[in-house]
Amino acid sequence: MPHSPSSTIGLAPAAFWALLIWSFIGLTPLAKGQVELEGTTWAQRLLRSFSSDWNELSSERESLPGELVGLPEVPTAYQGGSGGMFGMWYVDTENKPLKSLSIRVMWDEAEWVDFVSLVPARSAASQGGEWEYGVPESFEIELLDRNGDAIATIAQEEGANRRLVRRGFPFTYSLDAPVKAHGALVRSRGISRRMVAGETRFYLAWAELFAFAGEYNVAEGATVELVEDRPTYETWYWNDQYLVDSQTPLGLPEIPSKNLRHVGWLSQARHSEDDSIFVTLELPEAKQVNGLRLFPARRPAGEVIPGFALPQRFYLSAIDENGKEVRVLDRTSTDASNPGQNPVTYRFPSVRASKFRLECVKIWKRYPHYPAFIAFSEVQLLEGETCLSKGAKVRTSDGETELASVGNLFWSPRGLTNGAGPSGALVARREWLELLQRRNEVETRMRYLELRMGAMEHRWEAVVLYSVSGFGVIALVFLIVLPIRYRRIQKTMLSDLRHRIANDLHDEVGANLSSIAGTSELLEEMTGDSSPKQRELMADIRRTARKTAQETRRLIGFLERRELEGSVEEHLRQAARTMLKGIDYRFEEGEWEAFESWPQRRKWDLLLFFKEVLHNIVKHSAARSVSIEIKDLGKAGLLLRVVDDGKGISGGRMPRHLKERSKRLRALLSISSRKGGGTEVRLTIPRKKQFLWILK
């Protein structure tokens, strides 16, 4: 069966609606990378399928975390200790910005320097703990001779304050060949600036400068001065000399270890901070010792307490073979400053012995009602930078009692000489800085790859998004244009169809009806002696044919012009006069004006419905009288009511044609009928389109 033009063309809007919905609902999340499957976005899945560059970057990125295993980490918690060197200056009197500032560091003797590290500062916890605080735009480091003249430039760093990973990693530089130097100069350019109380202030800060000759930090305790004549900012946290005190915000020089068991030693509680506690270290044999290094412990749980439980005052004695003690280090006159989570090194004249006693005469007590005790993660006896006490026997004033820490960790005297800190194996400061630099390189590479992959992902998302958007716009344009064109084509086709029907009615039906009327007249003339009954029947045939021809011409006119000639009231009254011959009918007073604003199509449907009702009355009801009423119901609509006194509708079934006509009018049809009691037809036509009809 062939499709009608309307059904074929009608598929197009539905197809485009489906296309548009699929475009915006199905593909837009894809373009935005929001649909995730197996932990990846759709954009990433597309890149994996179609981009070899992405796969190479992704493969390298996935392999890098393995390189971080065994590397030290930069702690995120505040580590205490000194902040370093800091300066803050206002704009010059000439309102010119500070272009550069230079810091000169001079040590006592010329040394062969082969490794230099500059550690960024971190603001104090009270100032927010900002990483890389006061780092300039660029800087350079020069090694100096005795006169302060440059003999080698070892670093020229650009974009120092714009590193991909800004977490306080030190700037480290290994020299190809050692340089014999008497000092170093750090020249900073592009000084950081901030608005403070409406004023522009420039600030520069560095936490620590290391200059190594082998394992020895020759910069420790050196003289620091600002080359430019500008005062620096000094507080308990900031001081020029703090630049070379070996304290950094990076914590202890240790490498994380999962096999750690003993994290140091924690004494038993004492009532008073003046109670004495001792620790004795016994070497396998007598050795020359000229230094003591104490490593702070870490609180077992909770927040980090910098310098946790380090003694306030103490002294170190060397014990000879006869048990005689010689005090080689005395720190009993003043309280020691809190180094935070930094190892503290004390130097003394070299002494040869195998047994040393650390006597703590003023121990740690945080609050008046808090117990007093001490703790270390490691205690080292040194010859230069070489640790002599690893694995040494340890005795304490508390015996060899072990205390449980957290998890499977313990406080134990053995933890003082096991070469481990609270998190892992302790390493030399230089090695630790080199490992931190390696971690920085790996993390920087990871960040670089992530940025490149993110940029590729965003580009692909943008391409897909723009493609989908463009496709959607095109679909939307077609969705707007096609229905208009479709309606125009449909109107043209319907107009052509009406014109053909009208022509066919005029040419065939009209001509035939006229022929019937003419033939009936001719027959009446030829049968002049026929009976009155025959003449009456032929007259009825002639009148019916002419009336039908007249109605056909009216229908043709409606099909061609799509409008009724005259008012709705005239057509309804004419239909009643024509169809209800021999039946007494009357029109109740009605409100006909409401119909005149209707579309012509709706007027025609009402007329056809009315004629169908009258046809059913004439054909089936045997009624003697009919009442016709038109009433305006306000917002409820218009009411057409037709009542007859006929024999009613058999079985109460609704005539099919009435049902179809009421549907076309979107009207509420109600038919009430009783056998032998007549029929009432009520058609309620809404002012707005509705799709409701009922049968009572």
Side-chain angles (χ1 to χ4, degrees):
M1 178 178 179
H3 294 291
S4 67
S6 60
S7 63
T8 303
I9 299 175
L11 295 174
F16 271 98
W17 274 113
L19 186 62
L20 187 66
I21 292 171
W22 178 73
S23 299
F24 284 97
I25 295 180
L27 288 183
T28 299
L30 165 68
K32 292 183 178 179
Q34 294 174 345
V35 179
E36 294 191 3
L37 185 62
E38 298 179 1
T40 59
T41 66
W42 273 108
Q44 292 171 353
R45 290 175 62 82
L46 286 174
L47 284 163
R48 286 182 179 178
S49 301
F50 301 106
S51 174
S52 59
D53 291 342
W54 166 276
N55 289 325
E56 290 178 5
L57 296 176
S58 178
S59 177
E60 183 180 357
R61 171 62 181 84
E62 292 174 358
S63 68
L64 287 176
E67 298 185 23
L68 297 176
V69 177
L71 295 178
E73 300 180 8
V74 175
T76 56
Y78 175 65
Q79 301 296 300
S82 63
M85 171 268 167
F86 175 74
M88 180 184 292
W89 305 274
Y90 297 95
V91 175
D92 287 352
T93 55
E94 298 179 3
N95 200 32
K96 295 180 180 179
L98 295 177
K99 293 184 178 180
S100 67
L101 286 169
S102 301
I103 305 168
R104 183 186 295 119
V105 178
M106 303 295 292
W107 41 88
D108 294 336
E109 299 292 336
E111 300 286 352
W112 290 95
V113 177
D114 58 1
F115 183 83
V116 176
S117 180
L118 189 59
V119 181
R122 182 177 185 179
S123 60
S126 59
Q127 298 171 318
E130 177 184 342
W131 279 115
E132 304 198 3
Y133 181 68
V135 173
E137 171 71 21
S138 63
F139 66 86
E140 62 184 38
I141 302 176
E142 298 174 342
L143 292 180
L144 309 177
D145 61 13
R146 180 180 296 275
N147 299 321
D149 297 327
I151 56 177
T153 299
I154 63 172
Q156 289 181 322
E157 197 78 41
E158 298 292 335
N161 59 356
R162 299 193 309 273
R163 295 194 289 180
L164 289 180
V165 179
R166 289 175 50 83
R167 294 206 295 115
F169 283 105
F171 297 91
T172 59
Y173 308 97
S174 294
L175 280 63
D176 294 333
V179 176
K180 193 170 185 178
H182 215 293
L185 181 77
V186 180
R187 182 179 294 108
S188 302
R189 295 186 175 90
I191 311 301
S192 301
R193 66 176 68 187
R194 287 185 179 179
M195 292 296 295
V196 179
E199 296 179 308
T200 301
R201 297 186 184 181
F202 296 87
Y203 61 102
L204 174 69
W206 292 109
E208 191 71 22
L209 174 68
F210 292 98
F212 285 93
E215 298 296 331
Y216 178 54
N217 177 24
V218 300
E220 184 174 359
T223 302
V224 180
E225 62 177 345
L226 192 67
V227 176
E228 290 78 9
D229 186 19
R230 293 180 181 275
T232 53
Y233 191 74
E234 296 187 355
T235 65
W236 65 271
Y237 190 71
W238 304 109
N239 189 290
D240 292 353
Q241 287 303 125
Y242 291 166
L243 183 64
V244 290
D245 64 352
S246 291
Q247 295 186 19
T248 75
L250 303 177
L252 294 176
E254 56 184 343
I255 300 175
S257 173
K258 295 182 179 180
N259 299 322
L260 190 64
R261 179 174 175 81
H262 299 98
V263 294
W265 175 70
L266 175 69
S267 73
Q268 295 181 4
R270 303 294 197 273
H271 293 291
S272 171
E273 62 182 10
D274 295 324
D275 290 344
S276 180
I277 299 176
F278 72 85
V279 175
T280 300
L281 304 180
E282 186 173 349
L283 306 178
E285 59 182 359
K287 292 185 178 181
Q288 294 293 135
V289 178
N290 66 355
L292 172 70
R293 183 167 291 159
L294 304 178
F295 290 81
R298 183 171 299 151
R299 188 182 180 190
E303 64 177 335
V304 173
I305 299 178
F308 174 70
L310 284 176
Q312 304 281 319
R313 301 185 185 189
F314 61 91
Y315 64 86
L316 179 69
S317 299
I319 305 174
D320 62 18
E321 298 176 355
N322 299 320
K324 181 180 179 181
E325 292 189 16
V326 177
R327 189 174 297 188
V328 296
L329 176 66
D330 193 331
R331 303 287 297 184
T332 60
S333 59
T334 58
D335 290 351
S337 60
N338 189 334
Q341 292 305 104
N342 288 279
V344 187
T345 303
Y346 302 95
R347 297 293 177 179
F348 49 85
S350 180
V351 59
R352 185 176 182 83
S354 62
K355 193 173 183 181
F356 293 84
R357 179 187 178 96
L358 178 64
E359 189 79 28
C360 303
V361 297
K362 185 177 181 181
I363 59 179
W364 190 77
K365 187 179 178 72
R366 192 173 189 186
Y367 304 112
H369 300 291
Y370 202 72
F373 49 86
I374 63 170
F376 304 102
S377 62
E378 184 83 357
V379 176
Q380 293 182 352
L381 297 173
L382 306 175
E383 181 184 14
E385 287 298 316
T386 304
C387 175
L388 305 175
S389 56
K390 186 174 182 180
K393 295 181 180 180
V394 181
R395 288 194 309 109
T396 72
S397 53
D398 293 342
E400 298 183 1
T401 304
E402 287 190 352
L403 298 176
S405 181
V406 293
N408 295 323
L409 302 178
F410 294 89
W411 299 101
S412 167
R414 286 179 292 174
L416 291 177
T417 57
N418 64 348
S423 299
L426 295 169
V427 295
R429 208 63 172 276
R430 174 171 174 167
E431 180 184 355
W432 174 65
L433 290 170
E434 291 173 338
L435 292 174
L436 282 175
Q437 174 62 17
R438 176 56 187 158
R439 186 180 192 93
N440 182 35
E441 292 171 355
V442 174
E443 290 193 11
T444 299
R445 181 62 181 172
M446 290 172 60
R447 181 59 179 157
Y448 170 75
L449 294 175
E450 289 168 358
L451 291 175
R452 280 200 60 187
M453 293 168 66
M456 293 179 67
E457 185 176 349
H458 291 324
R459 283 198 299 270
W460 276 62
E461 287 176 0
V463 169
V464 177
L465 178 60
Y466 292 148
S467 300
V468 171
S469 300
F471 182 75
V473 169
I474 294 172
L476 187 60
V477 170
F478 274 99
L479 190 63
I480 296 173
V481 172
L482 191 63
I484 296 175
R485 180 172 176 78
Y486 158 74
R487 290 179 64 85
R488 288 179 178 175
I489 293 173
Q490 192 177 48
K491 286 180 66 176
T492 301
M493 295 180 65
L494 290 175
S495 178
D496 292 343
L497 181 61
R498 291 192 191 96
H499 187 68
R500 289 198 303 270
I501 293 173
N503 287 339
D504 292 345
L505 288 173
H506 181 271
D507 295 343
E508 297 293 334
V509 179
N512 292 339
L513 290 173
S514 297
S515 177
I516 293 172
T519 302
S520 64
E521 288 182 1
L522 181 60
L523 182 62
E524 185 177 3
E525 292 176 359
M526 293 174 62
T527 56
D529 56 349
S530 59
S531 65
K533 183 64 174 178
Q534 290 176 332
R535 288 196 297 273
E536 182 180 355
L537 290 174
M538 284 187 286
D540 285 341
I541 292 172
R542 184 177 65 253
R543 286 194 299 272
T544 301
R546 288 176 176 172
K547 182 61 179 177
T548 303
Q550 182 180 0
E551 292 295 328
T552 301
R553 285 194 295 274
R554 184 181 292 114
L555 176 59
I556 292 171
F558 177 77
L559 289 174
E560 291 182 337
R561 298 185 301 275
R562 298 206 68 191
E563 63 180 38
L564 291 173
E565 296 180 355
S567 66
V568 174
E569 180 182 4
E570 292 175 359
H571 284 281
L572 295 185
R573 290 184 182 274
Q574 177 63 32
R577 283 195 299 270
T578 303
M579 301 182 69
L580 296 179
K581 288 183 178 181
I583 300 176
D584 181 23
Y585 70 90
R586 69 180 182 280
F587 277 86
E588 306 292 343
E589 289 297 326
E591 299 165 342
W592 299 94
E593 294 79 4
F595 290 105
E596 301 308 320
S597 61
W598 281 16
Q600 294 294 327
R601 177 74 260 177
R602 212 173 189 203
K603 292 179 182 179
W604 183 259
D605 288 335
L606 178 63
L607 176 59
L608 294 179
F609 176 86
F610 183 68
K611 285 185 175 182
E612 185 66 28
V613 172
L614 298 186
H615 174 75
N616 286 332
I617 292 174
V618 171
K619 186 176 180 181
H620 302 292
S621 70
R624 295 185 299 275
S625 64
V626 177
S627 173
I628 303 168
E629 179 184 7
I630 295 293
K631 187 176 182 181
D632 190 346
L633 301 178
K635 292 183 178 181
L638 298 171
L639 173 66
L640 170 62
R641 179 171 174 269
V642 180
V643 182
D644 67 68
D645 60 354
K647 60 183 180 180
I649 298 176
S650 176
R653 294 191 337 180
M654 178 181 292
R656 180 173 58 84
H657 292 90
L658 291 183
K659 178 179 177 181
E660 293 175 354
R661 294 292 179 186
S662 66
K663 282 185 177 181
R664 297 189 64 176
L665 286 165
R666 281 31 172 197
L668 176 65
L669 176 61
S670 174
I671 299 178
S672 301
S673 178
R674 297 193 308 275
K675 187 175 181 179
T679 302
E680 178 184 10
V681 178
R682 296 172 63 91
L683 183 71
T684 305
I685 309 166
R687 296 186 182 276
K688 296 183 179 180
K689 291 183 179 180
Q690 296 180 0
F691 297 87
L692 180 64
W693 59 271
I694 61 171
L695 171 64
K696 289 186 179 179

